[in-house]
Each structure stands twice: as C-alpha cells, then as structure tokens.
Amino acid sequence: MGPPSCRISLTDKRIPTEELSKENIDSIEGWFVDYGKIDATSLLSRLESEQKELQNRGANLWSDEGQIDNVRFRRAFHDKLGVRQVLFTFCDDLLQNVYRLPWWEKWSLELNSIFDQLGISPKQVIRCLLAELPSGKRIPVHHDTGLWSTR
C-alpha cells in the first residue's frame, strides 16, 4: 500500500470537499485512501512513558516545560481552541521550507513504525504532529488553503 498515485488538480481545491455536489463527488475517487487499522502501540507507549516521567518532575508533555528540548510554534486559531501540540516536522504555508524539529529524531522509531505501515517514506512527510484538544472541543471542518495543502 502507499499514498494514492493520482494527482489532484488545483482546480479541485477551489471548493472544500464537504461542499462538493453529488455530481462532483464521483470525480474525487482516489483522493482518499483507507489504510485500515494501524498499530500505534509503540507511539502510545512512548507517549505514556514520557508523560509519566515528566509528571514525576512536575511538568507536562504538552507544555513548554515538557518540551524544553523541542521547538514550539504558536498558531492563533489552535491556541484559541486550547489545542496543545507536539511537533515533529512542519513546513511553512508556502512550502518553501520543511523543518525537522528536534523530536523528529528523538521519536523516529515510533514515527517510522507508523510510516512503514502506511507505505510512506519519512522524506514525504512535510507536517507531522500530535495534538491534544481540551475535553468537549473540536476542530471544525475546514479547508486548508496554504500552498503546502495543494501539492
């Protein structure tokens, strides 16, 4: 398995998928891939282990103190919702730069386990993060428009 081999035309990105009419829905076959169940046991175990270790020191994995050796980004909309994140790799909205953050290497065993199951080379990954949302909060359906989302 692996990512879809089709190429999505930029004209198809003008309207969010959830707003497409029934006629247009048929034309998007191949845009989505069901990878089935993915075994994330190693990633979840690592999260639990890191969180316990930090709690013993009075810190939290999702906080600045818990990620003292990683890079933290502020994202206005995410911050407003109270979303806390652990970033591994990120690209700017114009897809000019891809940043491999310190925890990309630190967590490579767990991340590569997921990528291997998906048939994706880590070189293909331009954004990779974990997010924690406050109870009862949701990220609303939205349509990413940065250049990164069109390539």
Side-chain angles (χ1 to χ4, degrees):
M1 191 171 305
S5 59
C6 69
R7 188 167 187 92
I8 300 172
S9 168
L10 291 181
T11 59
D12 292 326
K13 294 287 289 174
R14 290 185 185 151
I15 301 171
T17 308
E18 68 272 6
E19 295 177 14
L20 290 175
S21 66
K22 172 67 175 125
E23 301 78 48
N24 290 330
I25 294 290
D26 294 335
S27 71
I28 63 171
E29 189 171 320
W31 286 19
F32 308 99
V33 175
D34 180 354
Y35 290 99
K37 292 186 179 193
I38 300 297
D39 181 4
T41 305
S42 66
L43 180 63
L44 294 172
S45 295
R46 176 75 183 268
L47 274 170
E48 186 177 315
S49 170
E50 292 279 338
Q51 184 67 337
K52 281 181 183 176
E53 183 181 324
L54 286 165
Q55 284 175 339
N56 290 337
R57 297 191 322 237
N60 183 302
L61 178 74
W62 305 97
S63 69
D64 289 341
E65 297 80 19
Q67 294 185 53
I68 198 83
D69 57 344
N70 198 25
V71 174
R72 307 267 294 162
F73 288 178
R74 298 287 179 225
R75 308 273 299 178
F77 184 70
H78 295 181
D79 293 347
K80 181 180 171 185
L81 287 175
V83 175
R84 299 189 305 175
Q85 54 208 345
V86 173
L87 296 167
F88 300 109
T89 190
F90 207 78
C91 69
D92 60 51
D93 286 344
L94 297 176
L95 196 56
Q96 299 296 306
N97 300 289
V98 176
Y99 305 98
R100 300 286 190 229
L101 305 176
W103 282 16
W104 174 259
E105 291 300 324
K106 184 177 176 181
W107 289 66
S108 64
L109 183 66
E110 294 81 9
L111 296 174
N112 286 333
S113 170
I114 303 272
F115 302 146
D116 288 346
Q117 292 175 70
L118 296 173
I120 295 172
S121 166
K123 291 187 286 187
Q124 294 174 274
V125 179
I126 59 171
R127 287 193 175 181
C128 180
L129 62 109
L130 300 174
E132 179 189 66
L133 280 72
S135 179
K137 291 285 186 175
R138 294 181 51 167
I139 295 177
V141 173
H142 63 285
H143 182 69
D144 287 337
T145 57
L147 187 59
W148 75 271
S149 66
T150 63
R151 294 195 177 169

